[in-house]
Amino acid sequence: MHTLRRVLLAQLPIPPLGPGRIRGNVPLAGAYLKLFARQRGLENFYDIDVVPAHRASTLGDRALAVHLAARRPWLVGFTCYLWNIERTLWVARELKRLSPATRIVVGGPEITGDNAWVLDEPAIDFAVIGEGEQTFAALLLALLEDETPPAPIPGLYVSTRKELPAFRTPLPDLNMLGSPYLAGILDAAEEQMLLLETTRGCVFKCKFCYYPKSYDKQYYLAPEAIRASLSHARDKDVREVFLLDPTLNQRKDFAEFLGLLAEGNPGQRFHYFGELRGEGITEKTAALLRQANFTEVEVGLQSIDPEAMLRMDRKNNLRAIQRGVRAMMAEGIRVRVDMIVGLPGDTVESVRRGLHWLRDEGLGDDLQAFNLAVLPGTAFRHEASALGLKFQPRPPYYVLETPNLRREDLFALMREAQELFEIEFDAQSPPVLEFAPDPDVEFVWRLDLDRPSPAPPPERRSFAFTLWATADNFRPHRETLRSGVRALLADNPFSTLQVILEPRDPDPEVLPAQLDEAYLAAVLAACQESPSYLDRYYALQPGGLLGAKRLVVLLPLRLREHLPPAWLDALAEVATLAWSGTGTPEIEESLAGHEFICSRDGQRVLSPAT
Ligand code: SF4
């Protein structure tokens, strides 16, 4: 009997803003690849394993590479998105160093013919462009005989050949795929959520979007397959069925489809989420959405400006959107309306007009404003220089300047949107001071700067990691602290790093001189020497404390009234203030919105001060 070649499929998560369990990183793409390979009989030759979400989401950069290498894989496949591509490539390099014979294949929306910095990565052997299942199966089949596929495979980029492949025609029938949940590859109970793709392909061709590039038309899942998935969702007691379809109401049989979703959810055991266009939603369809138990939907508006609409090739009928959104809101459905800031053709005035229109029409209770990302593979990327778009060279590829909008304008418009709707798009989460034990990783380095101890080994650190420093007096330890931060980030450059500074038995008389804003700014500067995805993501957003690295100053609440308010305000410019213990109701009420109260021993956040 021959030994099966081990294939591992991994999907790294969206970087979290802080420690705490990462949810939602369901490796659906990898699961589909495994399922399709199984149907092609390839499991007779390959042992294909999808790396469980909790492992892929918990392990730090180096821990993940070591974990993958320890399993001695013959091939590793990574699903690549905007938010994980740089980290994935780093892990791939590290994996190649540890296991040079392992072949590496990447796929996902970040893998496009014009994304040279990814395709040129030496650690990559193969890259799948477009829909993945057939290409991946064809690759595995070809590798049974040769080191590299002897003949070109549509959709497959082979690094040694450096030629862009022919277009991969999508699967002729989405029903050929089956469900990775029903096949037992994914467990919906794990996240109490089932991802369901009932359509592939989009009738629209928005120029900022890559999705339609992979599909020549729309492909639909048959009603019986949808029924089977919904029945499975009920059996697994999920709380949510998350529909991945690009535009739910692009289908001609939308009303029947909603009837099917309602029928599959008797007693409204779970709720649905999906994206749709506001146009075309009538009172009747809104009622059907409610009956099925849609509690939340996302509606793309992007811009109300005719010139911007023309440039992005997306025409919005504002009156119809208004009717549709109102109808859904009247049914009690939460409608998240998306706006893009930085579209070609838009100006400060037109974006402002769009925001005010949403507010005045009462449609923006759940506004989501995004900066334009000039994504690889999109028409906007292709036309970027003709359109005069300057953008970040690495994800999230945010536009930094257009002929009408300067960087300051983009920033100011995001601030304006938050102020207009009195919301914070990404509010600060409470600091995490409690760490559940995990046999594979350590979440925290407790560093007593007066009696330093080494950090946990790099290959045992978690993705979201905490350096918890204590000292009688921080002042003499600034460089030690900065070196500690640098060393952690050199080992695991993509960490979400929380740095807690906890003065031991602080004296309110001397503390302000020992730990001031300049001190913290110096530590923060060490944190930010190599920005990663989240740092760039928040670079154009107000709320300067957001990013992959965060400072937290932890102090006893009883001291707060003895500390100078100006000093606290200055600290809050660069760090989150966390208070341990309890105080009088007056003190608790006097806390600012960005301060948090934490219990001292259980390290549980009792309440964010609001
Ligand atoms: S943004 Fe949505 S509607 Fe537009 S092309 Fe992409 S998937 Fe289709």
Side-chain angles (χ1 to χ4, degrees):
M1 197 181 130
H2 63 279
T3 325
L4 300 183
R5 293 166 167 180
R6 176 164 295 146
V7 173
L8 300 177
L9 300 173
Q11 175 177 300
L12 313 197
I14 298 176
L17 264 174
R21 187 171 169 216
I22 295 177
R23 305 195 70 95
N25 181 36
V26 179
L28 183 69
Y32 270 132
L33 296 181
K34 176 177 164 75
L35 181 57
F36 192 74
R38 175 182 292 173
Q39 291 161 356
R40 292 286 175 282
L42 287 158
E43 284 187 322
N44 293 321
F45 309 98
Y46 296 95
D47 167 17
I48 305 173
D49 194 12
V50 180
V51 177
H54 69 276
R55 287 294 78 188
S57 299
T58 309
L59 299 174
D61 311 337
R62 208 166 283 276
L64 190 58
V66 168
H67 170 82
L68 294 173
R71 298 193 58 196
R72 311 176 79 79
W74 192 85
L75 179 145
V76 176
F78 292 99
T79 308
C80 303
Y81 299 97
L82 201 60
W83 51 80
N84 68 17
I85 181 66
E86 289 171 286
R87 183 167 181 246
T88 296
L89 296 183
W90 189 95
V91 170
R93 278 196 291 280
E94 195 56 20
L95 179 57
K96 272 280 189 196
R97 190 179 67 77
L98 297 168
S99 174
T102 299
R103 293 134 191 92
I104 292 180
V105 55
V106 289
E110 266 293 297
I111 312 305
T112 61
D114 61 359
N115 211 6
W117 74 274
V118 173
L119 294 183
D120 289 345
E121 166 58 52
I124 288 176
D125 298 293
F126 308 105
V128 174
I129 300 177
E131 193 183 62
E133 290 87 359
Q134 298 173 90
T135 309
F136 182 68
L139 172 66
L140 292 189
L141 192 62
L143 292 179
L144 287 176
E145 303 296 335
D146 282 285
E147 263 304 299
T148 48
I153 295 174
L156 186 76
Y157 174 84
V158 180
S159 67
T160 49
R161 296 197 191 121
K162 305 250 176 246
E163 281 164 19
L164 288 180
F167 177 74
R168 160 57 68 189
T169 310
L171 281 163
D173 181 0
L174 193 49
N175 297 290
M176 290 165 71
L177 264 180
S179 159
Y181 290 101
L182 291 167
I185 299 171
L186 292 176
D187 182 359
E190 238 171 64
E191 297 265 348
Q192 291 185 290
M193 174 179 70
L194 183 135
L195 301 181
L196 183 57
E197 195 174 25
T198 78
T199 317
R200 285 187 179 178
C202 182
V203 289
F204 304 105
K205 301 275 175 282
C206 310
K207 287 190 164 188
F208 53 80
C209 178
Y210 173 65
Y211 187 82
K213 289 285 176 74
S214 298
Y215 298 96
D216 48 354
K217 58 178 185 157
Q218 294 75 54
Y219 299 85
Y220 293 98
L221 203 59
E224 54 274 20
I226 298 174
R227 270 192 203 101
S229 282
L230 298 178
S231 157
H232 184 76
R234 293 196 303 277
D235 293 346
K236 288 283 178 177
D237 245 344
V238 307
R239 285 201 305 231
E240 182 178 35
V241 171
F242 193 109
L243 290 151
L244 295 165
D245 305 23
T247 309
L248 274 181
N249 54 338
Q250 68 174 319
R251 52 195 311 152
K252 293 193 174 68
D253 62 347
F254 186 50
E256 292 81 39
F257 173 68
L258 291 179
L260 182 62
L261 297 187
E263 176 199 312
N265 190 15
Q268 304 198 326
R269 300 250 302 268
F270 49 79
H271 55 90
Y272 288 104
F273 171 86
E275 286 182 37
L276 37 78
R277 292 207 51 157
E279 295 101 326
I281 300 290
T282 59
E283 284 178 12
K284 187 171 160 233
T285 39
L288 290 174
L289 282 162
R290 184 66 260 190
Q291 267 167 35
N293 205 24
F294 276 83
T295 50
E296 192 175 321
V297 295
E298 191 167 334
V299 167
L301 172 67
Q302 324 309 7
S303 175
I304 67 161
D305 185 73
E307 180 63 23
M309 289 187 215
L310 191 71
R311 300 262 183 116
M312 68 174 151
D313 202 4
R314 180 184 172 111
K315 290 178 194 62
N316 291 320
N317 179 333
L318 298 185
R319 284 176 67 93
I321 289 179
Q322 181 203 61
R323 269 199 305 273
V325 172
R326 283 213 182 123
M328 289 187 283
M329 289 170 86
E331 289 290 342
I333 298 170
R334 187 174 181 191
V335 185
R336 296 184 176 276
V337 178
D338 298 342
M339 286 279 283
I340 297 181
V341 176
L343 284 166
D346 255 330
T347 61
V348 171
E349 187 279 323
S350 72
V351 176
R352 187 173 290 146
R353 203 157 26 87
L355 295 171
H356 282 262
W357 181 77
L358 280 176
R359 190 201 52 179
D360 297 346
E361 298 297 334
L363 309 178
D365 292 357
D366 289 294
L367 168 75
Q368 301 190 125
F370 300 101
N371 290 101
L372 173 68
V374 185
L375 298 172
T378 62
F380 272 169
R381 172 66 74 98
H382 188 62
E383 298 165 5
S385 61
L387 290 167
L389 303 180
K390 294 196 179 130
F391 57 92
Q392 296 169 329
R394 293 288 180 272
Y397 310 112
Y398 278 160
V399 77
L400 299 170
E401 200 180 310
T402 78
N404 298 335
L405 294 163
R406 298 162 306 155
R407 193 177 172 141
E408 313 79 276
D409 299 327
L410 299 167
F411 189 84
L413 284 166
M414 291 300 270
R415 185 190 292 280
E416 213 172 307
Q418 297 202 31
E419 286 170 0
L420 193 63
F421 292 93
E422 295 176 5
I423 46 170
E424 227 180 307
F425 292 137
D426 292 285
Q428 280 262 345
S429 53
V432 173
L433 306 176
E434 187 180 43
F435 308 94
D438 185 304
D440 295 331
V441 284
E442 301 198 30
F443 295 95
V444 59
W445 175 21
R446 293 179 195 274
L447 173 64
D448 180 346
L449 286 162
D450 298 313
R451 285 169 287 277
S453 54
E459 65 281 2
R460 284 196 44 81
R461 291 181 210 149
S462 55
F463 180 27
F465 191 75
T466 294
L467 163 57
W468 191 326
T470 49
D472 290 332
N473 172 11
F474 273 88
R475 180 59 58 190
H477 301 299
R478 196 184 78 160
E479 287 317 304
T480 311
L481 197 50
R482 278 161 54 89
S483 312
V485 163
R486 285 198 186 102
L488 289 177
L489 292 172
D491 293 332
N492 287 289
F494 299 91
S495 296
T496 286
L497 183 64
Q498 174 182 249
V499 181
I500 300 175
L501 294 90
E502 184 184 19
R504 209 171 9 243
D505 299 324
D507 175 348
E509 293 295 318
V510 296
L511 182 61
Q514 294 174 346
L515 189 62
D516 57 13
E517 186 192 359
Y519 186 103
L520 293 177
V523 179
L524 195 59
C527 290
Q528 290 173 341
E529 280 166 10
S530 322
S532 56
Y533 171 79
L534 273 191
D535 301 311
R536 285 192 294 272
Y537 182 93
Y538 287 107
L540 288 164
Q541 268 198 33
L545 294 181
L546 293 172
K549 295 92 182 178
R550 176 190 200 179
L551 301 187
V552 176
V553 177
L554 179 61
L555 298 168
L557 185 56
R558 64 185 158 73
L559 291 192
R560 193 178 182 282
E561 59 188 325
H562 306 293
L563 291 163
W567 176 75
L568 290 173
D569 287 348
L571 288 201
E573 290 293 313
V574 273
T576 302
L577 296 179
W579 300 98
S580 60
T582 50
T584 61
E586 294 76 40
I587 294 179
E588 294 188 9
E589 265 171 34
S590 71
L591 299 183
H594 51 264
E595 296 177 65
F596 295 89
I597 305 174
C598 310
S599 74
R600 185 61 194 88
D601 44 359
Q603 312 302 351
R604 187 168 48 88
V605 172
L606 294 177
S607 63
T610 49

